[in-house]
Amino acid sequence: MQILPAIDLRGGKCVNLVQGIASQETVFSDTPVEMALQWQVEGAEYLHLVDLDGAFQGESANLHIVGEIVSALDIPVQLGGGIRSMEQLKAVLALGVDRAILGTVALKQPSLVKQACTEYGARIAVGIDAKDGMVATEGWLEVSQKSAVEFAQEMAEVQTIIYTDIKSDGMLKGPNVNATADIIDAVPANVIASGGVTSLADVTTLKQIGASGAIIGRALYTGDLTLQDAIAAG
């Protein structure tokens, strides 16, 4: 199972939010490029980037930093947050981002996902962010009437799904294992788990239920978990 350190970008800085709430922000680094290089040095094989400004505003706001990170690293990078049109998608992939994550637009314009997968294949992932089993959009500000499992099954063209349990995110209390397992069992796609991964036991559990990857953010920055230990457990 692949371990993906997370860098959440907001206002050009590396931050972390609690349950996606913008006012509950911790700044972990003013230099995201150096942070990315640190994770690569520590053994990361893949990096997870989120453009929080893009997620909240609907347009990518940190693409220059994303470009700097991609240029500085030898490992692949995936990016989500605010990619809501084919034009934005094309711009992100042109930066050298290995995989672009479609979230809000996947729920609201599923035809765009089909078009993106036709053009870019495995470079397209869908991010499913759920609260109490229902899909949330617009930077988690809106909760839809669509269940996460049903939505995952509708995204049949996609080879990679990133599943985030919002209530777990940034809480350091462990992932929502049952909800993640439901997604894994429902679809043939690779499912990367995100939200609440705090301990080696969490990593082991996600591996046991068949997750193809685990995204770890806050726990790496607080020191609750080291990247080397997480990679060894994965």
Side-chain angles (χ1 to χ4, degrees):
M1 184 176 73
Q2 197 168 52
I3 303 297
L4 299 85
I7 292 181
D8 292 0
L9 298 167
R10 192 169 184 221
K13 298 177 180 180
C14 172
V15 306
N16 186 260
L17 309 183
V18 174
Q19 296 181 330
I21 300 167
S23 60
Q24 297 191 28
E25 175 185 277
T26 305
V27 177
F28 284 114
S29 173
D30 292 330
T31 51
V33 177
E34 289 179 19
M35 199 74 248
L37 286 166
Q38 179 184 321
W39 294 137
Q40 177 175 280
V41 167
E42 290 188 21
E45 297 178 348
Y46 210 112
L47 189 68
H48 175 73
L49 293 179
V50 180
D51 182 354
L52 288 173
D53 294 309
F56 289 130
Q57 297 162 13
E59 56 183 304
S60 301
N62 295 286
L63 286 187
H64 61 293
I65 297 174
V66 173
E68 290 175 24
I69 289 173
V70 170
S71 298
L73 296 183
D74 299 320
I75 60 173
V77 168
Q78 65 182 20
L79 173 71
I83 306 170
R84 296 180 190 167
S85 69
M86 287 301 291
E87 290 75 23
Q88 288 172 318
L89 175 61
K90 187 175 182 179
V92 164
L93 293 176
L95 290 173
V97 169
D98 182 64
R99 197 157 54 206
I101 304 165
L102 304 178
T104 296
V105 74
L107 183 70
K108 298 193 171 183
Q109 298 179 54
S111 61
L112 190 143
V113 177
K114 292 183 180 180
Q115 183 184 350
C117 287
T118 299
E119 287 193 34
Y120 299 110
R123 296 184 72 192
I124 302 302
V126 163
I128 299 179
D129 306 329
K131 195 168 189 176
D132 299 320
M134 308 305 281
V135 178
T137 62
E138 309 292 348
W140 300 356
L141 299 175
E142 296 180 13
V143 179
S144 73
Q145 296 302 305
K146 172 95 61 178
S147 84
V149 169
E150 182 185 354
F151 181 45
Q153 290 171 328
E154 290 173 0
M155 295 291 108
E157 298 83 12
V158 178
Q159 297 179 33
T160 303
I161 287 173
I162 290 95
Y163 176 72
T164 305
D165 185 77
I166 294 172
K167 284 191 172 180
S168 304
D169 195 63
M171 296 297 289
L172 298 177
K173 292 181 179 176
N176 187 332
V177 174
N178 291 338
T180 307
D182 288 343
I183 299 290
I184 292 168
D185 293 342
V187 295
N190 292 321
V191 177
I192 298 173
S194 174
V197 182
T198 307
S199 67
L200 290 180
D202 294 339
V203 175
T204 302
T205 300
L206 290 173
K207 183 179 180 180
Q208 288 171 344
I209 64 171
S212 67
I215 293 168
I216 310 177
R218 196 176 192 92
L220 294 178
Y221 293 97
T222 58
D224 285 82
L225 194 57
T226 71
L227 182 58
Q228 293 97 327
D229 287 346
I231 289 170

